[in-house]
Amino acid sequence: MTLAVPSLPTPPVALSAGTLAERVYAQIKQLIFDFVLLPGDRFSESDLANRVQVSRTPLRQALQRLQREGFLLVFPKSGWQVAPLDFDAFGQLYDLRMLLETHAVARLCEADPRPSLDELNRVWLVPEAERQHTVLTIDRLDEAFHAALVEAAGNTEMARVHADVTDRIRIIRRLDFTKPQRVEATYDEHALILRAITRRRADEAQRLLRAHIEHSKVEVRRITIETLQNARLRMAEAHTPPG
C-alpha cells in the first residue's frame, strides 16, 4: 500500500532585484503622476525607502531610471527633486505629436484596406449613453486612438517616436479626462476626425486633428495648474496644527 505524501506549502518566491526595481519604479512614478510627490519637491533616498518599504539598491535603480526619463533631478550631497513641470517643453512635445499624427492621417486617408479604422469607429462612434466616463478607461482609449492613427501609417520609427512623446506628456495629458466636459469634447472631436478620414478628406481630417490637439494642450495646462494649486493647498492644510 502506497502512503500519500502530504504536499509541503510552497515557499514565497522572493522578487529578483530587477523585478523589485521595476515595481518600485512604477510605484514612485505613480506618486509623481498623482501629485503626491509634487513638482519641485525634494527628498532623500532614506525618506523614500521608508515610504515605499524597499531597500536602497532597487530604490536607487528606480530613481536613476526616472532621472533618465526626466521625471527626477539629482543633486550631489543634497538628494533628489521631482522635476518641475516645464510647459515650454510640453508644448514642443505636443507640436511634435501634431506633426506625426497629421502626417499619419494623410496616409490613412489614402490607405486601402483600413481595418484599424473599423475598430476606431466601433469605439468612438457610439451613442452618448454608451460613452465611457471612467478616467482610467477614457485615458487608455484616447491614447489608443492616437497611437492607432500613427501605427496605421506603417512607419515603425514614427510609431516609436510617437510612443515616447505619449509617455513624456502622460503626466499632464491624463488630467484632461478628470473634467466631464473634456470627455464629451474628446468623443465629439474624435468622431469628426474619423468621419473625415472615412470620407478620405485629408485636409479636413488634418485641420480637425490639429484643432483637437491644440485645444487639449491649452486645457491640460489650465487643469494641471489648478490641480497643483489644490494639491499644495491640501498639503498645507494637512501640516497646519489645529487651533
Side-chain angles (χ1 to χ4, degrees), residues 112-184:
D112 195 26
R114 303 184 291 180
S116 59
L117 195 57
D118 294 335
E119 177 62 20
L120 291 175
N121 287 339
R122 186 186 66 78
V123 173
W124 294 100
L125 302 184
V126 295
E128 289 189 18
E130 297 178 18
R131 291 179 174 182
Q132 298 288 334
H133 292 88
T134 306
V135 173
L136 290 177
T137 301
I138 193 69
D139 179 31
R140 176 179 55 80
L141 290 174
D142 178 69
E143 284 196 6
F145 170 82
H146 291 277
L149 294 181
V150 176
E151 289 167 4
N155 187 316
T156 55
E157 285 301 305
M158 186 184 298
R160 180 187 59 79
V161 172
H162 185 267
D164 179 62
V165 170
T166 297
D167 188 58
R168 292 168 66 186
I169 65 175
R170 186 175 291 124
I171 187 172
I172 63 170
R173 178 181 175 181
R174 67 192 182 85
L175 294 175
D176 206 10
F177 308 112
T178 60
K179 306 294 182 182
Q181 66 273 21
R182 291 296 303 141
V183 174
E184 298 304 323

Side-chain angles (χ1 to χ4, degrees), residues 12-26:
V13 178
L15 292 174
S16 68
T19 303
L20 189 55
E22 184 73 25
R23 179 182 66 77
V24 176
Y25 161 83

Side-chain angles (χ1 to χ4, degrees), residues 237-243:
E237 290 174 346
H239 288 84
T240 300

Side-chain angles (χ1 to χ4, degrees), residues 158-227:
M158 186 184 298
R160 180 187 59 79
V161 172
H162 185 267
D164 179 62
V165 170
T166 297
D167 188 58
R168 292 168 66 186
I169 65 175
R170 186 175 291 124
I171 187 172
I172 63 170
R173 178 181 175 181
R174 67 192 182 85
L175 294 175
D176 206 10
F177 308 112
T178 60
K179 306 294 182 182
Q181 66 273 21
R182 291 296 303 141
V183 174
E184 298 304 323
T186 297
Y187 267 99
D188 294 340
E189 291 167 13
H190 283 190
L192 290 172
I193 293 165
L194 287 171
R195 290 187 178 108
I197 295 172
T198 299
R199 295 193 295 267
R200 301 186 185 276
R201 296 180 178 176
D203 290 344
E204 180 184 354
Q206 289 178 312
R207 175 182 58 79
L208 290 167
L209 183 57
R210 279 192 292 268
H212 170 65
I213 295 174
E214 187 64 37
H215 191 194
S216 177
K217 180 173 70 172
V218 171
E219 285 298 309
V220 295
R221 176 169 182 155
R222 181 185 63 80
I223 295 169
T224 301
I225 292 172
E226 178 185 316
T227 303

Side-chain angles (χ1 to χ4, degrees), residues 75-87:
F75 299 92
K77 300 181 181 180
S78 61
W80 296 81
Q81 181 186 40
V82 181
L85 295 181
D86 186 342
F87 285 105

